[in-house]
Amino acid sequence: MNAATPTVPNLAERRIVLGVTGGIAAYKAADLTRRLLEAGAEVQVVMTAGAQEFVTPLTFQALSGRPVRTSLLDPAAEAAMGHIELARWPDLILIAPASADVIARLAHGLADDLLSTLCLATDKPIAIAPAMNRLMWANPATQANVATLVARGVQVIGPGAGAQACGEIGDGRMTEPLQIREAVAQRFGHGPLSGVKAVVTAGPTREPIDPVRFITNRSSGKMGYALAAALRALGAEVTLLSGPTSLATPAGVTRIDIETAQELLDAALQTARGAQIFVGAAAVADYRVDGVADEKIKKNDATLQLTLHRNPDVISAVREQDARLFVAGFAAETEKLEEHARGKLTRKKLDLIAANWVGRGRAFDRDDNALSVYWPGGGRELPHASKTEIARQLAALIAERFHARAAAPA
Ligand code: PMT
């Protein structure tokens, strides 16, 4: 029976295309199939040629109760459900295990087999659970491919660390089937932030000087975007207030674009009404130019003087508007990390602050980061990892602190 129990998430009526690719972890995909079915999901397995070297399609057919799809050019299967139809069928395409090869092919938009074609032809969310040798995972080519997929909104589940089939120890083990199922359930809104509205600010602001020039900073938006995706994965309804970036909107997240600190302030005050969590990851310009020129400034003089005015503090204004809101900030520091971050935590009346070292090539516009997270009376280190992983840990911590605050006596 597929009825959900308290320990089994409810995936009833969720349709999942489970892509299985070549690797020793393919055998774990059989258990994953069983676990997804146990939670009530409909599962259509698609296997690559490599996967069939490890496990037979018959195994998955017996488990899922559906013929396994293996070929793009199979007239009989196409007659039952064509690949375009199949690309539209699921609520999620989940690739587990995802080999380095399939990750590379997805990143480059190849469509030379059924699974890659489905991924290219779908507008449904895609999640991957990578599994490979630790050096293949750490290879800059794989990391760049993963970053490309993340930027396109693909959810990356794991990989975990530990002993590998090749005898080595390190990152690259496929996440265990139960954890993958949990991540899938969370993205369908069954996580600890289910029913919670969250607002996340990300990226830089631009403060105009004249119609063609502006003052900005090095923020890429990667940290804030990863956090928006991670909060969404925990079930939150997320609005992302974004400064100018080149990043794709994370799946399931509503994005509002702003340019200046004043525009961010207006959008923040408006969207924070009715939200329960606000996270300020944006690098907001502290100053704006007094008297922005209507026309392009001509370079007639040897020097040019600009007068700068203090910008409003967005996160403080949001806190002032609603004392009940859970407000988390970031602190970007080049010295005295804890002292400065705790100072901001108190001054801005925040519930939590995530401090990162910046400058000398750290944090800004990188794919990795490390955070020291502080809250009144506590703290936790999130050691160096990809921004996706750091965001996942920070989102879990925010959820934990949010619920702890809600449970505390007023
Ligand atoms: O975008 P990436 O390239 O991924 O880089 C990530 C990051 C380094 C930008 C991010 O991790 C980060 O640290 N963001 C906060 C940057 C910052 O402005 O820090 P701050 O210490 O100056 O500000 C403290 C807090 O006040 C922040 O939450 C900030 O959003 C907020 N603030 C600051 C000034 C202002 N006028 N209004 C604000 O709301």
Side-chain angles (χ1 to χ4, degrees):
M1 195 171 137
N2 290 338
T5 70
T7 52
V8 180
N10 183 5
L11 291 175
E13 294 175 23
R14 296 296 184 182
R15 294 168 163 183
I16 297 173
V17 162
L18 176 61
V20 184
T21 73
I24 185 60
Y27 81 92
K28 287 192 188 174
D31 186 35
L32 178 59
T33 306
R34 206 171 59 80
R35 299 294 185 178
L36 292 170
L37 291 163
E38 181 189 35
E42 279 183 70
V43 181
Q44 172 62 61
V45 177
V46 173
M47 296 179 79
T48 62
Q52 294 169 64
E53 298 291 329
F54 290 88
V55 190
T56 67
L58 200 57
T59 305
F60 288 100
Q61 178 172 325
L63 286 168
S64 68
R66 290 168 174 269
V68 170
R69 298 287 297 267
T70 55
S71 170
L72 182 57
L73 306 170
D74 177 343
E78 283 289 306
M81 194 196 293
H83 62 273
I84 296 296
E85 216 181 320
L86 184 55
R88 293 191 183 135
W89 176 81
D91 296 302
L92 174 72
I93 297 182
L94 169 65
I95 306 180
S99 62
D101 177 64
V102 81
I103 290 171
R105 286 192 292 123
L106 296 193
H108 291 88
L110 300 190
D112 54 356
D113 67 0
L114 179 59
L115 185 58
S116 53
T117 303
L118 290 180
C119 291
L120 207 57
T122 196
D123 58 359
K124 303 299 161 103
I126 300 174
I128 60 172
M132 66 198 74
N133 165 271
R134 68 181 176 91
L135 291 175
M136 291 172 80
W137 172 250
N139 192 296
T142 303
Q143 288 301 308
N145 290 333
V146 170
T148 299
L149 295 182
V150 169
R152 288 187 202 141
V154 171
Q155 182 185 7
V156 181
I157 304 168
Q164 303 200 307
C166 52
E168 297 184 5
I169 294 176
D171 287 339
R173 270 168 70 102
M174 188 176 93
T175 300
E176 292 304 319
L178 279 178
Q179 285 171 270
I180 296 178
R181 182 176 76 177
E182 199 49 43
V184 167
Q186 284 181 356
R187 74 164 301 136
F188 286 131
H190 296 287
L193 294 180
S194 185
V196 172
K197 288 191 179 152
V199 177
V200 179
T201 73
T205 63
R206 277 182 186 168
E207 308 299 328
I209 298 171
D210 68 13
V212 297
R213 303 178 177 102
F214 51 78
I215 298 174
T216 190
N217 58 62
R218 295 178 188 277
S219 171
S220 62
K222 287 175 186 171
M223 193 66 247
Y225 274 57
L227 192 59
L231 290 168
R232 175 70 198 128
L234 295 186
E237 195 181 306
V238 182
T239 302
L240 177 62
L241 307 182
S242 174
T245 77
S246 56
L247 304 174
T249 310
V253 166
T254 305
R255 169 169 150 186
I256 297 172
D257 290 331
I258 57 88
E259 260 196 44
T260 63
Q262 184 60 47
E263 285 171 16
L264 178 61
L265 176 70
D266 295 342
L269 289 176
Q270 198 181 340
T271 52
R273 277 188 209 109
Q276 289 80 44
I277 293 177
F278 184 92
V279 188
V284 189
D286 288 316
Y287 292 90
R288 67 178 180 280
V289 177
D290 180 34
V292 176
D294 290 334
E295 307 300 338
K296 185 180 168 198
I297 299 172
K298 295 289 173 200
K299 50 178 184 300
N300 296 331
D301 301 320
T303 60
L304 172 70
Q305 283 207 335
L306 296 174
T307 303
L308 302 180
H309 278 301
R310 265 299 279 275
N311 263 332
D313 192 291
V314 176
I315 206 161
S316 299
V318 165
R319 155 57 73 229
E320 290 305 319
Q321 176 175 263
D322 183 354
R324 290 160 310 163
L325 189 66
F326 184 94
V327 183
F330 272 73
E333 308 296 343
T334 56
E335 53 166 357
K336 298 180 187 160
L337 187 81
E338 176 162 6
E339 186 183 323
H340 288 317
R342 284 211 180 265
K344 287 174 186 173
L345 178 74
T346 310
R347 258 195 330 278
K348 301 188 185 214
K349 299 186 189 140
L350 307 179
D351 295 292
L352 176 150
I353 196 154
N356 40 202
W357 290 105
V358 297
R360 301 185 200 94
R362 295 173 298 194
F364 277 97
D365 198 16
R366 293 186 60 97
D367 292 326
D368 51 23
N369 203 3
L371 294 174
S372 299
V373 187
Y374 307 110
W375 58 87
R380 196 174 297 171
E381 292 298 316
L382 305 184
H384 186 259
S386 68
K387 280 186 177 163
T388 310
E389 175 55 25
I390 287 280
R392 200 185 60 73
Q393 294 178 24
L394 180 59
L397 193 48
I398 287 173
E400 191 184 307
R401 299 303 312 155
F402 168 72
H403 288 298
R405 189 186 123 148

